[in-house]
Amino acid sequence: MAKLPEAEFIWFNGKLIPWHEAKIHVLSHVVHYGSSFFEGMRCYETNQGAAIFRLDEHIDRLFDSCKIYRVEIPFSKQEIKEGILETIRTNKLSSCYVRPIVYRGYGLLSVDPLGCPVEVAIGAWNWGAYLGPDVLENGVDVCVSSWTRPAPNTHPALSKAGGNYLNSQLIRMEAIENGYSEGIALNTNGLISEGSGENIFLVQDNTVITNSLASSVLGGITRNSVMTLAREAGFEVVEQEIPREMLYIADEVFFAGSAVEVTPVRSIDRITIGSGTRGPVTKTIQELFFGITTGQTSDIHGWMTLVKS
Ligand code: PMP
């Protein structure tokens, strides 16, 4: 079985401790009821050294995810930011994936979480392409899932909560078992929501289209970056509800997320999308995106935070 590429230290409630000592009690609230809130971000090796993509926005979203569930994080945004930077520096990682997590710890084991302590950990480790090495160029084959995203009045999709990922696991397992790289879920209105861990875009007649935050999606930071870069490149960007069949007949479809970055989709349910390979608009957006993450183009938006002190 594949193993996490371990680093040496994990930031655990304010202190760096050895990787294997970062443990919690089996009767912690989070283990039973999914009460965790987390982020996933990438730190890139740029020509000026390691730099995290949109660190402040990820920290803001972590606090927002917690706020929805009445979780008070016992650290300030600045302390979490320093904790992330310190974790990467101490582990001497030049590029990595970073995973801060806030959870309800060991205390009472009632469904009511309010008596449990809130704890925070930050892990970071080396991580390559999420859906495989060639996919950024060749694209992925995906399916529409038989699993539906939870309705907005069930678990709110805008909170990146651990419990939401039970639904993501069903979507992803089904897709992989059926020979696809990823699944796209519909929402309870029967319209497109997102992949198990990424937002979705389509391109039609040079217009870049994604669905709105009311379609049971996470407010992706890559989604927001793609929308900004596409507008700056002169494309019209539209947020609208997307019926499933609009994907099949689109010129291009791509995923956007911290893990998948900007990944073309070449088929959905074995229907070829556009030319069946990465389309020109996707390529342009990838070049703009990776220009910033590699440090090759100037970071005019202030999206990169250098790790070195
Ligand atoms: N949707 C879901 C369900 C996700 O897990 C993620 C990954 N965080 C995304 C979308 C993309 O968000 P981001 O671009 O901020 O990584």
Side-chain angles (χ1 to χ4, degrees), residues 53-69:
F53 185 67
R54 306 203 70 176
L55 174 58
D56 290 324
E57 289 83 353
H58 280 284
I59 294 174
D60 286 346
R61 188 172 65 186
L62 181 65
F63 277 72
D64 288 346
S65 295
C66 288
K67 184 173 185 184
I68 294 168
Y69 282 89

Side-chain angles (χ1 to χ4, degrees), residues 61 149 160 165 194 196-199 218 220-222 256-258:
R61 188 172 65 186
R149 272 274 180 238
K160 195 168 165 58
Y165 286 80
E194 59 185 345
S196 70
E198 52 279 316
N199 294 111
L218 182 70
I221 290 163
T222 319
S258 300

